[in-house]
Amino acid sequence: MERVSATSAHPPAMRGAAAGFVAGAVGLGISELLAGLVPGVPSLVTAMGSLVIALQPPGAKALVTGLFGTADKTALNVAVVVVALALAVLAGVAGARSFANGWRILTVVGFVACLAAVVQPLVSPVPAVVNAVIATAAAVGTLRFLLVGAAALPIPGRVAAGRAAPGAGAAVMPDWDRRTFLLRSGALLGGAVVAGGLGRLLVQRAHPAAPPVAVRLPAPAGPPPALPPGSSLDAPGITPLVTPNGRFYRIDTELLVPQVDAATWQLRVDGMVDHPLTFTYDELIGLPLFDQYVTLECVSNVVGGDLIGNALWTGVHLKAILAEAGIRPGATQIVGRAVDGFTVGFPTSWALDPSREPMIVVGMNGSPLPAEHGFPARLIVPGLYGYVSATKWLSEIWLTTMEAFNAYWVNLGWAKEGPILTGSRIDHPADGSSLAAGPQVIDGLAWAPDRGVSRVEVQIDGGPWQAAELARAISRATWVQWELRWAATAGSHSIRVRAVDGTGQVQTGTPGGPAPAGATGYDEVRVTVR
Ligand SMILES: Nc1nc2c(c(=O)[nH]1)N[C@H]1C(S)=C(S)[C@@H](COP(=O)(O)O)O[C@H]1N2
Ligand SMILES: [Mo]
């Protein structure tokens, strides 16, 4: 008899699951709203996403298209929310049988979120803990409210319902009908979604991509290098020679754009140097600045992909800074460390080669460096993939040996050295497009930073490789536009492209990569001519 009544006192698993889902949503919604409203309070969703990134096993990144491009970041945030809600559903189902298990699961989730936030380099612990505690309490409270209402769950701390004797203080909440349960759950869920959505909006607004408005750069010593005449082709569908800041690809491990305060930021130069140096932002931009076009590519860029851009960078000569610090003999590696702990590493010999000018960049295409591209300062080293060279939100330049240190992505299985492979891309015609028979233009880009591109060749339907017309390159460190006039005949055609670098080396045709050292193979489009 007692057993029967106890069982009937439990809500069905469905109601438990629904209560758990709503409880999870309320916790997430409140935590996100707090993060959006109160400066310094971290987003727990972002923190858990960052923990996932930090804990990824070597090689995991090969599964995603880029080293955390914009789409990956969204997918990761969504995945975190889905997993958190799934655990909350579990807590609801468990809580419907024994509330203690329900709140324990929610508390563990809250604790993990708290931990995830506290270990973030850019997060202060107290607001993180406060947010996690409030969010967990809100989730537990919601779960209890819904479970009690749904099924006369015994109120914890009082006499269990099943054994309640009349008049002994047995307190059971009214067993709501189905409609009441749905209405209350729905209202809470709606509130949670609004709070969470608003919170996310505010969080993102607090992490803009643009540079801080107050910052102004002094003019570089000389006028900006003019684009050489003939460097831009007037060809259909061709990618602009210079990539506008807003269209420059973004790849990094940060789920929210770091906002670094230039007033307190410092750049250290240390390690195997004679004189460790420190620069404030004003000191850095007070040094002689110069401009340079450099094409930057991500090692994760696939053949035909768009994780590549070309910008006019403004900055300080890295060689001058290194000379001032005095590199000690044997310091074979230069490590760039970011405010968030991210690192790159490249050979000192690459940086010191007289043929190139690595830079500590403070400006991009005539504006201060946008936050999403590394404000206040980043490294740009001609000829190297971003993951070994282009530290954004730079905080330290550390001299060490090649053997003594592996940078962030090297530890995760990517090549220790990352010279950009010779590449080429067909921008027009687009793959799968249809064209009119007659004169057509095939065009695109080719790059081999900083060996330069000496030739681009196009192959139609497996025929001979034909030399394309090259635009004038800005420099060997930049990509170059190319075009080929083509008398298109009716039918289906395949078009391939390959580049030859400045040393005469032909682009590798065997498809491979991108891991561990960059993608190989020729870009190909198929078109129908009518
Ligand atoms: N601090 C920091 N710097 C970073 C990264 C990062 O994750 N964190 N990613 C690197 C990689 S993999 C690339 S390809 C370039 C991309 O620079 P962009 O986002 O300005 O295009 O930044 C590099 N610098
Ligand atoms: Mo990258």
Side-chain angles (χ1 to χ4, degrees):
M1 190 55 207
E2 188 181 297
R3 197 163 178 276
V4 171
S5 75
T7 306
S8 67
H10 288 132
M14 271 305 286
R15 281 196 184 188
F21 185 86
V22 173
V26 166
L28 286 170
I30 286 184
S31 75
E32 203 62 12
L33 187 62
L34 279 174
L37 287 178
V38 188
V41 172
S43 159
L44 299 181
V45 172
T46 302
M48 286 188 279
S50 302
L51 188 68
V52 172
I53 293 176
L55 295 180
Q56 67 179 312
K61 179 190 55 61
L63 300 174
V64 292
T65 44
L67 300 179
F68 292 102
T70 311
D72 307 326
K73 294 183 207 293
T74 308
L76 187 55
N77 280 328
V78 170
V80 163
V81 169
V82 167
V83 170
L85 288 176
L87 289 170
V89 166
L90 191 73
V93 173
R97 314 226 88 242
S98 146
F99 185 70
N101 287 340
W103 74 255
R104 280 190 193 120
I105 295 175
L106 289 178
T107 305
V108 168
V109 175
F111 183 74
V112 171
C114 182
L115 210 67
V118 168
V119 298
Q120 297 300 308
L122 302 177
V123 163
S124 19
V126 173
V129 173
V130 170
N131 191 1
V133 168
I134 292 176
T136 307
V140 171
T142 304
L143 185 65
R144 183 175 177 279
F145 172 68
L146 290 177
L147 286 180
V148 167
L153 189 79
I155 293 178
R158 299 208 193 160
V159 182
R163 268 175 277 139
V172 289
M173 298 273 280
D175 189 356
W176 303 338
D177 57 19
R178 186 185 159 79
R179 189 165 165 274
T180 311
F181 178 77
L182 284 179
L183 278 177
R184 301 213 168 142
S185 305
L188 283 165
L189 185 60
V193 170
V194 169
L198 181 65
R200 183 55 8 187
L201 210 73
L202 293 172
V203 165
Q204 256 146 11
R205 279 198 22 199
H207 294 83
V213 273
V215 172
R216 303 210 56 185
L217 291 180
L227 289 169
S231 56
S232 282
L233 297 176
D234 183 20
I238 201 156
T239 303
L241 184 60
V242 180
T243 315
N245 291 355
R247 292 185 51 192
F248 205 97
Y249 80 92
R250 175 189 167 200
I251 291 288
D252 53 63
T253 59
E254 286 296 329
L255 290 174
L256 293 166
V257 179
Q259 305 293 305
V260 180
D261 182 4
T264 54
W265 174 85
Q266 289 197 328
L267 173 62
R268 290 181 311 283
V269 184
D270 52 19
M272 295 172 67
V273 295
D274 295 328
H275 319 284
L277 306 171
T278 303
F279 298 91
T280 65
Y281 185 66
D282 285 339
E283 285 166 354
L284 189 70
I285 64 177
L287 296 172
L289 299 177
F290 76 111
D291 291 306
Q292 180 179 215
Y293 287 98
V294 176
T295 294
L296 178 65
E297 185 180 15
C298 181
V299 69
S300 292
N301 197 23
V302 293
V303 172
D306 56 8
L307 297 181
I308 182 167
N310 183 47
L312 178 63
W313 307 101
T314 303
V316 174
H317 290 275
L318 178 63
K319 284 177 190 169
I321 302 291
L322 294 176
E324 194 183 333
I327 303 172
R328 293 229 183 109
T332 48
Q333 182 172 210
I334 300 176
V335 172
R337 185 175 275 115
V339 295
D340 61 356
F342 175 87
T343 49
V344 306
F346 50 93
T348 307
S349 57
W350 186 279
L352 295 185
D353 191 299
S355 72
R356 60 179 67 95
E357 278 304 334
M359 55 203 310
I360 303 171
V361 163
V362 293
M364 182 177 184
N365 289 325
S367 101
L369 198 55
E372 65 172 344
H373 294 295
F375 182 86
R378 75 177 304 171
L379 289 173
I380 287 289
V381 184
L384 297 183
Y385 284 121
Y387 83 106
V388 289
S389 69
T391 317
K392 305 194 275 188
W393 316 294
L394 182 67
S395 63
E396 183 185 6
I397 295 169
W398 180 54
L399 275 290
T400 181
T401 66
M402 277 313 253
E403 298 74 32
F405 184 77
N406 284 337
Y408 187 94
W409 286 115
V410 178
N411 273 329
L412 293 172
W414 290 75
K416 178 106 184 186
E417 295 195 33
I420 298 181
L421 300 182
T422 302
S424 54
R425 187 173 86 191
I426 299 169
D427 289 338
H428 176 87
D431 189 33
S433 59
S434 64
L435 311 169
Q440 290 289 349
V441 177
I442 303 165
D443 58 64
L445 294 164
W447 58 91
D450 51 353
R451 304 172 297 283
V453 173
S454 63
R455 215 160 68 235
V456 170
E457 297 171 337
V458 175
Q459 183 190 53
I460 296 166
D461 300 329
W465 287 98
Q466 310 173 46
E469 200 178 309
L470 281 187
R472 168 107 58 102
I474 303 174
S475 78
R476 290 185 311 171
T478 64
W479 64 19
V480 60
Q481 298 180 343
W482 58 264
E483 67 178 337
L484 181 80
R485 276 155 228 287
W486 176 41
T489 54
S492 304
H493 299 284
S494 87
I495 309 169
R496 301 210 295 165
V497 66
R498 71 181 186 189
V500 180
D501 75 7
T503 72
Q505 191 77 36
V506 181
Q507 181 182 340
T508 304
T510 320
T520 54
Y522 298 153
D523 191 22
E524 175 171 351
V525 300
R526 289 162 198 277
V527 297
T528 310
V529 177
R530 300 175 191 288

